[in-house]
Structure formats: C-alpha cells, structure tokens
Amino acid sequence: MYKLLFVDDDKALLKMLENYFRLRRYRILLAEDGMEALEKIEDVPDLILLDINMPRMDGMELCVKIRELVSCPILFLTARVEEQDKVNGLLAGGDDYILKPFSLKELEARIAAHIKREERNRHKTRLKYREGLLLDYSARKAMFGDRELELTKLEYDIVEFLSGNPGQVFDKERIYEKVCGYDAEGDSRVITELIRRIRRKMGEYTGTEYIETVWGSGYRWKK
C-alpha cells in the first residue's frame, strides 16, 4: 500500500481526500499545517499533496524544507497559479500543480502516474558515462569519482531523461512535459534555468559539457 501525505488547513477537504483514497487502498497521512507535515514525513510517504496557502508556513517554504529530506513527488494544491508562481514552485522542488476545484478521478490519475514513474526509476540499472561521470539510476545519484553531485529532484530528472536518450534533441516543452508529467504546454523559463544550474554544478568537477544546446531546437546529451 502506497502512503500519501495530504497537507492542507481545510479539514473538510482532508477528510474527503482521506475517505476517497483509503477506499482505493492507499495509506493516508494528514497534516493541517507545515509544522505538522514536517513531523509526518518521518513516515516516508510515497507522494505529498501540498496546499500552497497555509498558516504558520506556506507551501513553498515547506516544499524547500522537505525536499532536503524526501525524494518522493510533491504536488502543489492551489486555487489559482500565475506563471511565475509555477516557476517558483518547480524550482523549489515541486513536481506538479493541481488546481482547485479538481476532479477526484483526475487527482487519482495524476497521483498514480507520479508513483509509477518513481517505481520505474527505482528499477533502472547503473550506467557510466565518460570523463568520470557515473549515473546510478536506481539510487538516483550522479557521481564524479567518490563525490556526489548535489542535484535537486527536477535537475536529476532532466539529467536522467537526456542521458537516457543520448544524441536526441528535445525542445524545452518536451523536456518540461517529460520530467514534470504535464500534458500542458511547457514552461521554457523553468528548463532554461534548471539546465543552467546543472551545467554550473557539473562544471565544478569537470570541463566536459554533457548537455549541448542545439540553437533553435533545444538540448541533447552528448554521445
């Protein structure tokens, strides 16, 4: 049984979500604010549904804190979202946005899709790339020698996606859709910033450029 942590200050909404997903054989953890959520993540949830507007600690701040502790998918729950809010949320470590009001069936499908993606990632094999870079897909780690590259979840997801398809060119929208799980139009500003960060972090260890920019087309992992 997968464990879901729902974080929201709306008690009625939490109760509805708890009843619905328990009937579908999920184990449910509930928290009404960020401080309580920090305690509940000790139970290691498989996915977190996180409201943005909460007392004591908002969802963005909480996401940054818990992303240091967990690698599971984090889905933001919000009544509305501006483009910059979406950018900030994804850079903070979130994986998806669910807009209120929402369909329970759609939410269930989104949750199942994210969990399945995590399961596939856990069963990938260990691959090594030149110039000392080692990608351990099962452990979700990038290593240079004995030093681990400190990548955020989305940064690692981009590295995994591109490295798994070396030589293929992907535009920003395709990368965004693949790593974030969206069917919606991609946000090129998020991908541009994340790839800039990846290159900077890799550059601290090696002079090799693993991700190439193909001007006018997108990015590719060098063969």
Side-chain angles (χ1 to χ4, degrees):
M1 295 176 66
Y2 294 108
K3 283 186 284 188
L4 308 179
L5 170 58
F6 297 139
V7 187
D8 200 301
D9 60 334
D10 185 335
K11 294 181 180 180
L13 177 61
L14 286 181
K15 189 63 177 177
M16 179 186 71
L17 292 172
E18 180 182 25
N19 291 338
Y20 182 86
F21 283 95
R22 276 190 173 162
L23 286 174
R24 281 146 183 82
R25 300 186 61 79
Y26 288 93
R27 292 182 60 190
I28 305 302
L29 306 169
L30 303 176
E32 295 180 15
D33 58 44
M35 300 304 293
E36 187 178 1
L38 286 172
E39 298 174 1
K40 293 294 179 70
I41 63 171
E42 295 180 1
D43 291 329
V44 193
D46 295 292
L47 181 142
I48 299 171
L49 182 66
L50 175 59
D51 187 32
I52 291 181
N53 298 311
M54 294 186 298
R56 300 176 70 185
M57 183 188 305
D58 67 34
M60 294 287 188
E61 182 183 355
L62 176 60
C63 182
V64 172
K65 289 181 179 293
I66 61 181
R67 185 49 84 203
E68 299 295 322
L69 305 172
V70 299
S71 62
C72 70
I74 298 174
L75 280 60
F76 284 117
L77 187 62
T78 181
R80 67 183 182 87
V81 59
E82 301 293 338
E83 183 180 25
Q84 188 57 48
D85 294 330
K86 185 181 292 187
V87 171
N88 293 339
L90 295 173
L91 293 178
D95 296 280
D96 203 347
Y97 273 88
I98 306 294
L99 295 179
K100 299 178 181 178
F102 55 86
S103 158
L104 284 171
K105 288 186 177 180
E106 179 188 355
L107 176 59
E108 182 183 4
R110 293 272 195 107
I111 287 174
H114 279 284
I115 289 177
K116 286 178 182 178
R117 184 177 298 111
E118 290 295 300
E119 286 291 303
R120 289 195 298 269
N121 289 337
R122 292 191 189 115
H123 290 90
K124 289 189 176 178
T125 58
R126 188 177 177 101
L127 295 178
K128 185 174 182 178
Y129 291 86
R130 66 185 185 284
E131 303 295 336
L133 174 62
L134 176 70
L135 296 180
D136 187 339
Y137 290 151
S138 58
R140 293 179 59 80
K141 291 182 179 181
M143 307 285 294
F144 281 101
D146 59 353
R147 301 183 65 182
E148 181 178 351
L149 195 64
E150 295 296 327
L151 298 175
T152 67
K153 183 177 185 297
L154 280 182
E155 289 167 358
Y156 175 83
D157 287 344
I158 290 173
V159 169
E160 181 179 281
F161 173 58
L162 293 179
S163 65
N165 299 278
Q168 296 185 47
V169 179
F170 297 96
D171 61 27
K172 300 180 184 72
E173 288 73 24
R174 173 61 174 152
I175 297 171
Y176 181 86
E177 178 183 321
K178 186 65 179 179
V179 302
C180 297
Y182 290 154
D183 293 325
E185 181 180 353
D187 190 319
S188 60
R189 290 193 300 164
V190 173
I191 298 303
T192 300
E193 174 62 16
L194 290 172
I195 288 180
R196 185 191 67 79
R197 292 185 184 189
I198 293 167
R199 285 171 166 164
R200 176 178 56 79
K201 292 177 180 181
M202 287 184 168
E204 295 175 1
Y205 295 90
T206 177
T208 301
E209 185 178 83
Y210 293 93
I211 300 176
E212 291 182 311
T213 299
V214 181
W215 296 108
S217 298
Y219 300 96
R220 69 181 170 202
W221 190 269
K222 290 179 70 174
K223 282 189 173 181

